[in-house]
């Protein structure tokens, strides 16, 4: 009612891992660290679904008397996890570069031209949102930038997407190309 606008983003991998660890500790559950990490990786959406996934994994292990492993978590949570894009980071960079009419070298280069910065930050955002790469990995892929630069670019893009229709159209167009590329990958594998 006061007009407060709060941008609430889904938790990143580190935050999801901390949440799952806290939930397990709060319920007195003893779950291997690699299992908790796998749950955090597989459920990217929200805290409620993370807790549900943890409960499902622990209940399955207790009812079936099996030891938990990351591979077993994959099988248990297969119905809860949306299929993740299997597009390579290099393919995302190439799609963004082509969409903005620049070269991949320019995208990863040192230039601070406005159009390159926008393309680069959108690439950072896509790498984070679609592939859940760490800030350090994203910075490395984009010309050896540090994690703070990647974090700034991603946060700035997320904020701009809420109000910039042009940027939203760019994002939707690139995601459509990623989906088409994903279909090609699936056909080649299948």
């Amino acid at each position: 009612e006061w007009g407060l606008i709060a941008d609430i983003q889904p938790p990143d991998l580190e935050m999801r891992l901390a949440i799952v660890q806290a939930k397990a500790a709060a319920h007195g559950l003893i779950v291997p660290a690699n299992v908790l990490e796998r749950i955090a990786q597989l459920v990217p959406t929200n805290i409620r679904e993370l807790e549900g996934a943890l409960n499902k994994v622990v209940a399955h292990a207790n009812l079936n008397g099996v030891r938990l492993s990351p591979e077993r978590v994959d099988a248990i949570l297969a119905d809860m996890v949306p299929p993740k894009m299997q597009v390579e980071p290099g393919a995302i960079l190439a799609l963004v570069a082509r969409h903005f009419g620049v070269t991949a070298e320019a995208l990863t280069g040192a230039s601070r031209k406005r159009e390159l910065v926008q393309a680069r930050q959108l690439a950072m955002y896509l790498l984070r949102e679609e592939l859940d790469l760490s800030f350090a990995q994203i910075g490395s892929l984009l010309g050896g930038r540090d994690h703070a630069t990647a974090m700034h670019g991603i946060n700035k893009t997320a904020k701009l997407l809420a109000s910039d229709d042009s940027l939203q159209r760019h994002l939707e167009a690139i995601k459509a190309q990623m989906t088409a590329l994903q279909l090609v990958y699936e056909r080649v594998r299948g």
Side-chain angles (χ1 to χ4, degrees):
E1 301 242 349
W2 288 4
L4 175 67
I5 298 173
D7 182 24
I8 301 174
Q9 297 291 322
D12 64 6
L13 179 60
E14 292 83 10
M15 179 60 75
R16 293 192 310 266
L17 181 56
I19 291 166
V20 172
Q21 290 169 337
K23 293 291 183 184
H27 294 297
L29 302 173
I30 299 172
V31 182
N34 61 349
V35 169
L36 293 175
E37 186 173 326
R38 189 63 184 151
I39 293 169
Q41 290 170 344
L42 290 175
V43 184
T45 50
N46 62 51
I47 296 169
R48 191 171 294 128
E49 288 186 14
L50 273 172
E51 188 170 13
L54 175 65
N55 291 339
K56 183 174 183 175
V57 167
V58 170
H60 182 275
N62 289 339
L63 290 172
N64 295 316
V66 295
R67 289 183 48 102
L68 288 174
S69 69
E71 295 76 25
R72 192 167 306 267
V73 170
D74 289 348
I76 296 168
L77 298 180
D79 63 329
M80 286 182 71
V81 179
K84 208 55 172 149
M85 284 279 184
Q86 297 299 316
V87 177
E88 296 292 320
I92 290 177
L93 295 178
L95 287 172
V96 171
R98 186 173 52 174
H99 178 80
F100 282 95
V102 299
T103 64
E105 292 78 23
L107 191 64
T108 60
S111 174
R112 293 186 179 184
K113 289 182 180 177
R114 186 171 186 259
E115 59 274 2
L116 280 175
V117 170
Q118 183 182 37
R120 189 177 297 131
Q121 289 177 341
L122 189 58
M124 290 175 180
Y125 180 84
L126 282 165
L127 290 168
R128 182 68 173 184
E129 294 302 311
E130 298 299 324
L131 302 182
D132 206 20
L133 297 181
S134 71
F135 295 121
Q137 290 171 313
I138 293 167
S140 176
L141 284 168
L142 286 158
R145 289 168 169 79
D146 64 15
H147 78 282
T149 303
M151 189 182 308
H152 169 75
I154 293 163
N155 290 339
K156 183 176 179 183
T157 301
K159 204 175 283 186
L160 283 173
L161 281 169
S163 61
D164 188 337
D165 292 337
S166 173
L167 188 59
Q168 289 174 1
R169 285 192 296 275
H170 287 305
L171 179 65
E172 289 168 9
I174 294 167
K175 280 187 169 185
Q177 292 174 1
M178 288 172 59
T179 301
L181 190 57
Q182 177 70 27
L183 291 173
V184 170
Y185 284 169
E186 289 172 4
R187 284 190 192 134
V188 168
R189 278 192 228 128

